[in-house]
Amino acid sequence: MKVEIAEHRTPLGDVTAAWRDERLCALTFSEYWAQSQTTLARRLGAIELAATRAGRARLWERLDAYFAGELAAIDAVAVAPHGTAFQRAVWTALRRIPVGSTCSYSDLAQAVGSPTAVRAVGAANGANPIWLLIPCHRAIGADGSLTGYAGGLQRKRWLLEHEGALKNSPQRHRGTEKSRTEQPSLF
């Protein structure tokens, strides 16, 4: 299976992106690319990596716009994270957290209809293969603490400050705009 890859510089460090069938299937800090590549191969089977011809300029333009302050610029990027049904449900719920808001892991568990699965939600959050576009940095501890982030807590804090979620009193977004019984739609 052919997977195209490209690298781009951001204010938080270089990132590597991978596409399959015109959909983003991985985006990670380049320092973690080897681990992401292994996970991608496990999810997709045998993969053949190829440098993308066009460098995926549209994604880079959207990322650059996001970092320049146009925070909604990345919202419509098509993603295909290839996880379990539960992981995809959590990742869909994460994409529903508005910019400038945060959500606890407990809130996410409620949103996916599994209120006692807080640890499983945390594990799904940690397995997120598409940094920033699936905004796992918006998931915080129930007490408001910045807990767990694969890219490091300093990057998580930077992103939340950039999005305005840490100014004065953070705006909490409970339930990711859906009822507790409604199941999220998958990608």
Side-chain angles (χ1 to χ4, degrees):
M1 175 177 310
K2 184 176 179 181
V3 174
E4 295 181 283
I5 61 170
E7 194 172 43
H8 187 68
R9 184 166 302 251
T10 76
L12 294 176
D14 292 346
V15 296
T16 300
W19 293 266
R20 179 177 165 251
D21 299 329
E22 301 297 319
R23 293 174 63 110
L24 191 64
C25 57
L27 178 65
T28 189
F29 292 105
S30 295
E31 66 216 55
Y32 304 121
W33 173 243
Q35 178 182 350
S36 293
Q37 184 178 340
T38 300
T39 301
L40 195 59
R42 188 174 60 247
R43 289 183 175 160
L44 298 177
I47 60 174
E48 173 190 337
L49 298 177
T52 184
R53 296 175 306 277
R56 300 297 178 165
R58 185 166 167 90
L59 173 64
W60 305 146
E61 288 169 4
R62 288 179 181 216
L63 280 176
D64 291 343
Y66 168 86
F67 284 112
E70 189 182 328
L71 302 176
I74 58 175
D75 290 347
V77 174
V79 298
H82 301 286
T84 66
F86 183 79
Q87 288 172 326
R88 291 189 318 265
V90 171
W91 299 335
T92 298
L94 284 165
R95 285 197 96 181
R96 290 187 176 127
I97 303 170
V99 170
S101 298
T102 59
C103 184
S104 74
Y105 294 97
S106 177
D107 294 339
L108 285 171
Q110 293 278 342
V112 300
S114 299
T116 60
V118 176
R119 287 186 182 180
V121 164
N125 196 49
N128 173 13
I130 305 176
W131 168 76
L132 190 59
L133 280 73
I134 298 174
C136 55
H137 61 279
R138 295 180 191 154
I140 62 171
D143 63 357
S145 62
L146 302 186
T147 61
Y149 189 65
L153 291 181
Q154 72 282 4
R155 285 176 171 149
K156 183 173 189 164
R157 178 173 302 284
W158 190 98
L159 289 166
L160 291 172
E161 287 174 351
H162 179 65
E163 293 180 355
L166 294 183
K167 290 182 181 176
N168 299 325
S169 60
Q171 176 186 358
R172 294 290 308 279
H173 181 69
R174 293 196 145 295
T176 61
E177 294 182 17
K178 56 194 298 64
S179 75
R180 293 178 181 174
T181 58
E182 179 185 62
Q183 293 297 316
S185 60
L186 300 179
F187 298 1

